[in-house]
Amino acid sequence: MSSDAVPTPRVAVIVVAAGSGTRLAAGAPKAFIGIDAHSILHHCLARVLAGELAQVIVVAPEDRVGDALTEVRAVAGARHELISVVAGGSTRQQSVAAGLRAVWPDVEYVLVHDAARALTPPGVFARVVAALQDGNDAVLPVLPLIDTVKRVDGTRVIAALDRSELVTAQTPQGFRRSVLDAVYAAATVDHTDDAALVQAAGHDVVTVAGDDLAFKITRPADLDRARALLGDPVERAVPSGVLPRVGIGTDVHAYGGEGALWLAGLEWPGENPLSGHSDGDAVAHAIVDALLAAAGLGDIGAHFGTDDPEYAGAHAAVFLARTRELLSRAGFAIGNVSVQVQSNQPKLAPRRAEAEAVLGSALGAPVAVSATTTDGLGFTGSGDGVAAFAVALVVPLPA
Ligand code: CTP
Ligand code: MG
């Protein structure tokens, strides 16, 4: 039973996963075949668990109960106490009956779901439960037919059927628990689904909208479809298939320059200036290196020579605008930049927003500036200079 911490659910979902998968012919019981890194059963349970709190009963092949428990532990997280595994039978109906015997006493509604419909979205479960809560005894998710349908006798067409009267049946199929219990206790004939059994016993079955994604993985082509739908996780996150790229840059400058201190694109009157061929702005130089690295364009020395008079005394905006141009020519847009300064002086926090605005507008992309001291350690701790560390994200532009 559930622990005190978890309220007893009113809904149970029986996930039938005890079939052998003859038509899939993948060398193992179907529920344990991988779609991607995860099995059919894993994907199915992840979607069941994404919905309303429910007791979940997995019906597994008798010799696979241990494997099913391993899958359950991997996917269930905090909800593992709601999930149990029982051994199935030689027909789907026997497997459902085995699951039904494990339903907790307080449960009012039972959903029966094929593990093989692994990609069924949580919304279908929600629609079925809602229709049960509306007072229906039996609820069936359905899809309209797409093709014209004919009745045939061998190879001879007998009649065209009215497609508008026909639907295809999916799972999860939902039932008032008392109805399903009674129908199963009295069942003598095997049916291919539970709605058929309940209807044969004289109960009304109502329909709700199914979902294309609730298709049953039956043949190898269905598994290919599921694989294509899940796709590569990177491709899903980056639909263009073009990955962003990151780069890192660091720079160090010693105090002891002439004139005013320039750091993070700002002039700091009254602060000790940094030395360097340009203005010694370690923050700007670290950002330039990070951006060039991300785009695979080498480093600052390759583009901004220390003997180049153009950059003598130049400030951050000049370096950054030039770097942005170099990246743009190489086919990259700037995503964002994060830079951290290590120094005792100046105190950056009061002018953080100002620095971020100057650097960001030169790059046309967000720049985050943070600062830290080093607890008196190292050359930054002793006040000999500043160090800056930057990471940049750039996005390759479509050719
Ligand atoms: N099922 C079950 N117990 C059985 C037969 C089927 O629990 N004795 C389950 C399957 O695991 C599947 C669902 O019922 O999730 C629908 O069945 P089907 O797609 O036919 O799966 P299999 O019977 O495994 O496949 P096949 O008919 O190709 O052997
Ligand atoms: Mg079968």
Side-chain angles (χ1 to χ4, degrees):
M1 280 294 286
S2 60
S3 76
D4 293 343
V6 184
T8 309
R10 295 174 71 206
V11 176
V13 183
I14 298 173
V15 175
V16 281
S20 56
T22 320
R23 287 168 287 177
L24 193 59
K30 187 156 75 180
F32 299 90
I33 301 299
I35 303 180
D36 47 14
H38 297 304
S39 67
I40 287 176
L41 179 58
H42 185 111
H43 277 287
C44 176
L45 289 175
R47 286 157 182 78
V48 169
L49 292 167
E52 189 186 330
L53 201 70
Q55 182 195 1
V56 180
I57 299 149
V58 178
V59 187
E62 201 166 3
D63 59 349
R64 291 288 189 141
V65 169
D67 292 339
L69 277 168
T70 307
E71 294 272 15
V72 163
R73 275 187 216 110
V75 73
R79 289 202 184 180
H80 74 274
E81 289 190 28
L82 294 169
I83 312 188
S84 52
V85 180
V86 302
S90 57
T91 64
R92 184 184 182 283
Q93 197 163 310
Q94 286 175 19
S95 294
V96 176
L100 208 45
R101 287 192 287 274
V103 174
W104 289 333
D106 292 342
V107 166
E108 277 179 60
Y109 307 117
V110 176
L111 273 53
V112 182
H113 185 47
D114 292 334
R117 298 182 191 274
L119 304 188
T120 305
V124 183
F125 292 84
R127 286 198 284 280
V128 171
V129 170
L132 290 169
Q133 285 168 342
D134 282 348
N136 296 293
D137 282 348
V139 182
L140 177 69
V142 298
L143 282 185
L145 269 80
I146 291 163
D147 295 320
T148 296
V149 197
K150 312 277 188 191
R151 176 171 290 124
V152 294
D153 178 10
T155 55
R156 201 167 69 88
V157 175
I158 311 238
L161 301 183
D162 180 359
R163 195 173 53 193
S164 67
E165 285 186 352
L166 300 170
V167 290
T168 56
Q170 298 187 321
T171 75
Q173 300 180 2
F175 307 92
R176 181 177 298 285
R177 190 257 184 88
S178 55
V179 168
L180 198 62
D181 273 343
V183 165
Y184 261 87
T188 49
V189 185
D190 221 65
H191 291 263
T192 53
D193 72 0
D194 310 284
L197 186 68
V198 167
Q199 194 178 20
H203 296 272
D204 278 348
V205 180
V206 300
T207 66
V208 293
D211 194 295
D212 282 334
L213 286 174
F215 70 95
K216 185 156 69 75
I217 299 173
T218 306
R219 298 150 302 163
D222 301 317
L223 190 56
D224 290 344
R225 182 178 166 198
R227 287 185 172 144
L229 281 165
L230 286 180
D232 183 296
V234 173
E235 271 172 34
R236 266 187 292 148
V238 187
S240 62
V242 180
L243 278 178
R245 297 171 49 148
V246 293
I248 183 168
T250 69
D251 194 30
V252 165
H253 279 283
Y255 289 112
E258 288 169 9
L261 169 69
W262 281 84
L263 192 66
L266 303 178
E267 188 178 6
W268 300 80
E271 295 280 354
N272 196 358
L274 293 162
S275 69
H277 169 67
S278 64
D279 63 357
D281 188 339
V283 169
H285 301 169
I287 292 175
V288 170
D289 257 350
L291 286 165
L292 292 172
L297 293 174
D299 59 22
I300 194 166
H303 299 276
F304 306 89
T306 49
D307 49 2
D308 190 336
E310 193 188 335
Y311 301 113
H315 297 308
V318 173
F319 284 95
L320 297 181
R322 173 85 184 118
T323 306
R324 182 184 180 184
E325 199 181 305
L326 286 168
L327 261 71
S328 164
R329 272 203 219 139
F332 292 95
I334 300 169
N336 75 305
V337 172
S338 168
V339 62
Q340 187 178 44
V341 192
Q342 286 186 0
S343 69
N344 294 341
Q345 293 295 329
K347 294 282 169 253
L348 258 145
R351 298 185 71 190
R352 183 202 315 278
E354 212 183 322
E356 290 179 345
V358 168
L359 300 170
S361 74
L363 289 179
V367 177
V369 179
S370 57
T372 183
T373 59
T374 52
D375 223 5
L377 298 173
F379 68 89
T380 56
S382 59
D384 293 331
V386 306
F389 305 85
V391 286
L393 184 94
V394 302
V395 187
L397 297 166

